[in-house]
Amino acid sequence: MTDRYAVIGNPIGHTKSPLIHGLFAEETGQDMAYTAIEGPLEPHEAFAETVRAFAATGGRGMNVTAPFKLKAFAMADQSSERAELAGAVNALKFEDGSIIAENFDGIGLVRDIEVNLGLPMAGKRVLMLGAGGAARGALLPFLSARPIELVLVNRHVDKAQALAAQLSARGPILACGYGDLEAMGRFDLAVNATSASLTGDLPPVPPSVFSHQGAAYELAYGKRLTPFLRLARNAGVCTFADGVGMLVEQAAEAFDWWRGVRPETRAVIDRLTVPLD
Ligand code: NDP
């Protein structure tokens, strides 16, 4: 029997997940169907009811996107440490009546940077802008990649400070505000995990953080050269990327978790890439 999966979000019309998982299923020969579900925003419990109904009618797993990542975490019976830290999940598996939750965004991001872009983070100075769901999901995977220093910056600096305090035993992480960045020197890798690019805005980051041999990564995708990437390019950064590789890599992690087989990602990334220039 064909196994059923879905992505749930609202709005959901923009999602690339059915295309990505359809290509993965074709490539790996898996008998599965993957659809998109527009989740209900109201009343509060309607989201959980929709997920439970999908599982009760034979659904095997779901991807979860905005604005439901927190609600999905809250309804799970089990979740991984990185999901706990993020307080948000982007993948669910339904097994023996239980809902198991994972957050693959951070692993997907690290894999895109280290494997696809060929930029190992070990021994490097890394700057992360933003302390929302995506940044939170990335912190443990980033520290596992052993940078010499991970600096977390947020507009509301208290959020960044709380995260850095929570993770201080796991690696060299520190938090600061945008106003402190001029004094922080250059970074080998600067990652924009804010949502500023979705509205064409630029976080107040000074060009002095970028280094000439360094890299700049924008989590938003399909938006060409965002103000952040443009600033980095003008500052002389030589490697740029947007989040399309992260999107495909997190999908591959979920696929492997569900199906026990890891699909190839290169051709799918190429197919979804919108050139930056
Ligand atoms: P959240 O809403 O959870 O967090 C938003 C973050 O952005 C907060 O830290 C907020 O700061 C900060 N922010 C918003 N506007 C500005 C601004 N103008 N200047 C400075 N900081 C700002 O969003 P997510 O973490 O879910 O998403 C962040 C980005 O990552 C989005 O662009 C999203 O599309 C992308 N993303 C990409 C994925 C991929 O697969 N490529 C997967 C998931 C997300 P404050 O706390 O101070 O308000």
Side-chain angles (χ1 to χ4, degrees), residues 52-184:
R52 288 207 175 87
F54 183 75
T57 52
R60 300 285 302 272
M62 276 180 146
N63 282 124
V64 182
T65 188
F68 298 124
K69 289 183 178 184
L70 279 70
K71 279 188 173 176
F73 171 72
M75 72 180 292
D77 300 303
Q78 286 173 49
S79 44
S80 67
E81 187 189 14
R82 51 180 174 258
E84 299 273 345
L85 180 76
V89 296
N90 77 334
L92 300 174
K93 180 154 72 172
F94 309 124
E95 222 170 58
D96 304 327
S98 278
I99 299 177
I100 308 168
E102 257 293 3
N103 187 322
F104 292 121
D105 282 337
I107 304 184
L109 173 58
V110 170
R111 197 172 161 94
D112 193 37
I113 291 169
E114 295 207 311
V115 179
N116 298 336
L117 300 175
L119 301 168
M121 278 190 245
K124 299 286 166 49
R125 292 192 80 214
V126 177
L127 175 65
M128 168 93 72
L129 309 178
R136 297 167 77 101
L139 293 176
L140 266 183
F142 266 47
L143 288 175
S144 300
R146 307 211 162 280
I148 194 165
E149 185 174 52
L150 174 58
V151 176
L152 183 61
V153 183
N154 200 45
R155 252 181 343 194
H156 294 92
V157 71
D158 53 320
K159 275 200 222 171
Q161 284 164 339
L163 284 167
Q166 205 178 336
L167 280 168
S168 61
R170 307 299 286 268
I173 181 168
L174 65 95
C176 68
Y178 283 97
D180 305 315
L181 277 177
E182 286 278 7
M184 300 288 291

Side-chain angles (χ1 to χ4, degrees), residues 190-230:
V191 177
N192 184 13
T194 75
S195 52
S197 303
L198 300 181
T199 46
D201 292 326
L202 176 67
V205 56
S208 59
V209 300
F210 298 108
S211 79
H212 283 220
Q213 277 76 43
Y217 195 104
E218 168 72 72
L219 260 64
Y221 53 87
K223 304 218 162 283
R224 298 187 178 269
L225 216 50
T226 61
F228 170 78
L229 290 178
R230 197 176 297 279

